[in-house]
Amino acid sequence: MKCNRLVDAGRRQFLRGGIVGAAGAAANTVLPARQAAALSLARVEYPSNRLANIADLAVDTPLDIAYPDADSPGVLLKLGTAVEGGAGPDGDIVAFSVLCPHKGWQLSYHAADRTLNCPGHYSRFDCESGGQEVWGHATQNLPQFLLRVDDAGDIFAEGVDELIYGRLSNVL
Ligand code: FES
C-alpha cells in the first residue's frame, strides 16, 4: 500500500517535470533573441585616437604610444615592407600592445628579426605576422591595434584584435 503511494507520488513528480520541461523548451525559443541582444551589447566601440604622423616614423625605429587609453602602452612601427595588417601608402605601419599576454611584462623591439620580446619569460612575437607568438609561454598572440592613415598622413588607432593583458574583457 505504502509502496503504491510512493509510485503515485513519483508519477505526479514525473508529470510535473514534463510540464516544466515543456515550458522551458518554449522559453528557449525566446533565448536566441536575448543572446543576440547580449552579443550586440558586448560589441565595443573603440575610440579613434591619433597616434602620430607618417613623418614621425623611421624604419625599424619604434615609437611609444598608448591605446585605447593611457593604461595600455603600445608601440608604433614602420617596417619598410608591406605586412599583415599594415597601414599607410606602403602597407608597412603596424602597432601592437607591449604588454605581454602571459603575465604583463613590457616587451621591447628587436629590429634584427622584427620581433617584440619579453624579458619576463622570453616569449617572442612576430611584428611582420600580426603579432603571432613565435616562442614562449603566452597562450595568445599579441594584440594588434587596427590603424587608419588619413590624407594628411595622420595615423589613427581604431580598434584592437585581441584581449589586452590585465583586462577582464575587451570592454574598455
Ligand atoms: Fe612575458 Fe611571461 S610575462 S613570457
Side-chain angles (χ1 to χ4, degrees), residues 100 102-105 118 120-123 137-138:
C100 181
H102 179 224
K103 289 194 174 180
W105 287 59
C118 181
H121 314 98
Y122 312 116
S123 286
H137 295 277

